[in-house]
Amino acid sequence: MIVCKFGGSSVAEAQQIKKVKKIVDSDPRRQVIIVSAPGKRSKDDEKVTDMLHACNAMVQQELSCKDLFKKISLRYTTILSDLGLQTKPFLPVLEEVRQMIDAGHGAEYAASRGEYLAARMVATYFGWEFLDTDPLIVINHDGTVNPETWDNLKKALKPNVKYVVPGFYGCDPEGKVKTFSRGGSDITGAILASATKAETYENWTDVSGIFSVDPRLIPDAKVIKEMTYREVRELAGVGAGVFHEEAIAPILASGIPINVKNTNAPSDDGTMILPTREIGDHPLVGISGKGGFSRLSLRKLMLFKRTGIRHALLTMLHIFGVRPSFSLFGVDSMVWFFETTQASDSVLDAMCSRLKGEFDLEEVSIDHGHAIVGIIGSGVMQHSSVIATSTNALAHDKIGLNFFNYGSSDTSILIGVSDIQAQEAVKSLYKALF
């Protein structure tokens, strides 16, 4: 069996859904399909999920979303009509969703309905069974998959039945609709692939695989033919957006291969994501950068003599809504990088004051405008020349370093630069290393 996930661009309009059907019909092993909410049809278009978030925002202001929801309804009814399907049976489904949003069922319920409606629509067009992920996929409050999920799916999935499944959401342990983080349909696909013991998990999008660098920066960027679970996770962690980094977890133990392919060019090989790969003469797979980070610096003489200090400090950060993505440690200091959008300046000022007072720190400071660039590859530790080549390239192009992290991972080198130099750093490193 092959499990397929189709992204928002693949279900954005009827023409794309017809391509999806042709792809699925071309191989009878494709028996489970996961779909995202309809994405943009053009550069200036709106994603359905964004419109649903706007509907919820209106409800939070005690306004009805009825008029805005008409635009969402029109997206679906237009697709249905263009597919040659009757729209009338779908109208009560749309109206029920609108009423539930207006009744205040919350942001996660509203956001999830794009996938729900898309799956209902595609299931009708295909003549397949619609399988809702609420209440089958149980998502813990920290976003991880609850073990109940596997028993639920084992009972729900019947042999020789073809299913269309909505991505992105399930329910929390209390039974309320809960979503994964943005792009979480990849995770749903991985869960279904694991639950069905699929031979392959195909992830269909609008590009022919995962690129070694952002093609918007390097027009002749190459598609990566093979990469490992760890490589794709670390590349996604520093900004590469084709595949969700958390989607590796559900299939890690099973070793199911993932094939990232292009709905608009289905004959392209795409990228294979595997448990391991032959490194050979290809130690690196890609370079990516992610901006929008702030830096929290802490210092105190004999800081680490206090038992459990790191955990205690992190707990304090979490109280203020700050969850660091990257960390560095010195003899008497630590530095955390976190996404700037996590907290306002006033919240950060209060957090710094609390940290300094409760832990008697000598220095607590926060500054903004940071980016993290990653050099990713399973062979990065076996090729020490990567260090010299990368630092020389950055020095030549007058790109300042805020940190250089080599050795904390055997799959990546992380480099800190300023936000304003992030793109130039990526281009400089790609030119030197690839």
Side-chain angles (χ1 to χ4, degrees):
M1 178 191 292
I2 297 175
V3 169
C4 305
K5 174 260 174 180
F6 289 90
S9 61
S10 300
V11 295
E13 54 189 339
Q15 182 182 0
Q16 292 297 97
I17 294 174
K18 289 176 182 178
K19 292 179 184 177
V20 170
K21 191 172 190 306
K22 187 175 180 180
I23 289 167
V24 172
D25 289 346
S26 69
D27 192 332
R29 294 175 299 168
R30 295 182 173 120
Q31 297 181 22
V32 177
I33 301 169
I34 295 87
V35 296
S36 297
K40 291 184 177 184
R41 295 161 293 187
S42 63
K43 184 179 179 181
D44 299 324
D45 198 12
E46 291 183 273
K47 294 181 178 181
V48 165
T49 301
D50 290 337
M51 289 192 284
L52 287 164
H53 277 298
C55 284
N56 180 69
M58 293 185 69
V59 173
Q60 297 305 308
Q61 298 172 39
E62 300 184 353
L63 301 171
S64 173
C65 70
K66 189 172 183 178
D67 289 340
L68 177 56
F69 196 83
K70 287 179 181 178
K71 292 176 64 178
I72 297 170
S73 295
L74 183 60
R75 282 291 299 271
Y76 287 99
T77 55
T78 299
I79 294 172
L80 286 164
S81 295
D82 291 346
L83 290 172
L85 299 173
Q86 294 293 319
T87 60
K88 189 174 180 180
F90 210 70
L91 296 179
V93 180
L94 289 162
E95 179 58 16
E96 180 186 15
V97 168
R98 198 275 304 169
Q99 289 180 4
M100 294 285 278
I101 295 173
D102 257 344
H105 279 252
E108 295 195 73
Y109 173 84
S112 73
R113 295 305 89 180
E115 280 75 11
Y116 170 79
L117 293 168
R120 292 281 299 263
M121 176 176 64
V122 173
T124 301
Y125 179 56
F126 277 32
W128 288 18
E129 189 79 16
F130 167 74
L131 183 70
D132 202 354
T133 48
D134 170 21
L136 301 178
I137 294 179
V138 182
I139 307 171
N140 295 322
H141 294 294
D142 63 0
T144 57
V145 181
N146 189 295
E148 290 180 30
T149 297
W150 309 113
D151 286 336
N152 293 343
L153 289 172
K154 185 177 180 180
K155 294 173 184 176
L157 293 164
K158 307 301 180 186
N160 303 316
V161 177
K162 296 183 176 182
Y163 293 101
V164 179
V165 183
F168 184 46
Y169 73 91
C171 67
D172 65 20
E174 290 72 46
K176 185 178 179 181
V177 170
K178 183 171 178 59
T179 60
F180 291 112
S181 56
R182 198 74 185 254
S185 292
D186 289 350
I187 306 173
T188 309
I191 292 169
L192 267 296
S194 181
T196 58
K197 297 181 172 57
E199 57 189 272
T200 306
Y201 167 31
E202 293 180 342
N203 192 284
W204 294 84
T205 179
D206 58 359
V207 292
S208 294
I210 300 172
F211 285 86
S212 54
V213 69
D214 189 338
R216 291 170 296 184
L217 298 179
I218 307 291
D220 62 348
K222 302 294 190 295
V223 171
I224 303 166
K225 292 185 178 180
E226 287 188 357
M227 60 192 309
T228 68
Y229 290 166
R230 291 187 62 183
E231 287 172 335
V232 75
R233 178 165 165 76
E234 299 217 23
L235 195 63
V238 286
V242 175
F243 191 77
H244 199 298
E245 68 266 28
E246 294 179 20
I248 295 300
I251 59 174
L252 185 62
S254 60
I256 296 169
I258 304 163
N259 194 185
V260 179
K261 291 177 70 67
N262 189 347
T263 303
N264 302 312
S267 62
D268 291 355
D269 292 334
T271 299
M272 290 299 300
I273 305 171
L274 308 165
T276 61
R277 69 176 178 92
E278 290 292 330
I279 296 172
D281 296 327
H282 304 284
L284 306 179
V285 295
I287 295 173
S288 186
K290 185 176 182 180
F293 287 100
S294 295
R295 176 174 59 184
L296 170 63
S297 303
L298 310 175
R299 183 182 301 277
K300 177 180 170 61
L301 185 67
M302 311 287 279
L303 176 64
F304 298 109
K305 285 292 185 180
R306 176 172 167 177
T307 303
I309 185 65
R310 297 181 197 186
H311 176 73
L313 287 165
L314 273 175
T315 300
M316 182 65 72
L317 266 60
H318 291 173
I319 290 172
F320 286 88
V322 172
R323 297 183 178 274
S325 302
F326 302 97
S327 57
L328 300 167
F329 299 96
V331 175
D332 294 317
S333 62
M334 64 178 71
V335 174
W336 277 308
F337 290 88
F338 60 92
E339 294 180 11
T340 303
T341 55
Q342 289 180 352
S344 64
D345 285 341
S346 59
V347 169
L348 294 177
D349 288 343
M351 182 183 75
C352 289
S353 178
R354 185 94 174 264
L355 286 168
K356 190 165 188 177
E358 292 206 15
F359 296 96
D360 193 27
L361 300 173
E362 296 165 8
E363 177 190 331
V364 181
S365 63
I366 289 178
D367 61 312
H368 307 300
H370 293 273
I372 312 294
V373 176
I375 303 169
I376 312 299
S378 295
V380 74
M381 295 292 287
Q382 288 120 1
H383 291 71
S384 56
S385 61
V386 173
I387 299 175
T389 302
S390 56
T391 53
N392 286 340
L394 295 173
H396 178 270
D397 292 332
K398 296 181 173 55
I399 297 170
L401 298 183
N402 294 325
F403 73 82
F404 193 98
N405 189 339
Y406 175 80
S408 60
S409 166
D410 62 2
T411 310
S412 66
I413 296 172
L414 298 179
I415 299 170
V417 299
S418 68
D419 244 341
I420 59 174
Q421 289 192 305
Q423 291 188 355
E424 290 305 312
V426 169
K427 290 192 283 188
S428 174
L429 291 168
Y430 187 81
K431 180 179 178 182
L433 294 169
F434 285 78

